[in-house]
Amino acid sequence: MSYIKPPEGHDIPAAFAADPIGRNYAIAHREIEKRNRHRSLVGDAADDPHSFVPFVMTACGEISKCSATFLHWVLENNSTRAFTALITKFSAAVARYNAMASLAWVRRLIAARNRL
């Protein structure tokens, strides 16, 4: 999948039209993908922000506006302990993904070096 050229039939949100190659487009694209993928399970609720939140996070930990709104709601309506536990789990997931990506890159470099 490429974020350089949007998928056929996909309209770029007006807010991201100035930077279609940037990470904002990638986040918006993933949100739309997740809504469409889960629509068969939740129906029209996929478009209701109170029923379904397509949680999108980049490898650097940047989250979408929809995700940020959800986290603010969690913080306002739950204890600080529950919010901290949720953030810790997200942070661990990002750290694990980045570690796996780094390990894959190092293994690729070692394999390329051994072929020389």
Side-chain angles (χ1 to χ4, degrees):
M1 176 186 332
S2 171
Y3 293 118
I4 294 173
K5 182 179 177 193
E8 193 162 322
H10 175 73
D11 296 326
I12 298 173
F16 307 120
D19 184 22
I21 300 174
R23 64 180 177 247
N24 290 334
Y25 173 74
I27 288 175
H29 178 70
R30 287 293 295 145
E31 272 191 356
I32 292 167
E33 264 188 347
K34 285 188 174 195
R35 283 186 197 282
N36 290 338
R37 183 176 47 215
H38 291 92
R39 194 173 310 283
S40 64
L41 297 172
V42 296
D44 291 337
D47 296 319
D48 180 15
H50 301 290
S51 301
F52 179 77
V53 178
F55 201 91
V56 177
M57 179 184 285
T58 66
C60 298
E62 182 181 5
I63 59 175
S64 66
K65 288 182 184 179
C66 198
S67 303
T69 302
F70 170 71
L71 290 177
H72 284 293
W73 179 84
V74 169
L75 183 58
E76 290 173 0
N77 296 302
N78 293 291
S79 68
T80 305
R81 176 180 282 172
F83 182 75
T84 303
L86 184 63
I87 295 298
T88 301
K89 288 180 182 181
F90 289 143
S91 299
V94 169
R96 183 172 184 264
Y97 172 82
N98 287 339
M100 289 182 343
S102 297
L103 180 61
W105 181 250
V106 168
R107 286 181 176 162
R108 181 177 174 187
L109 290 176
I110 291 171
R113 182 176 159 206
N114 289 341
R115 280 181 271 176
L116 293 177

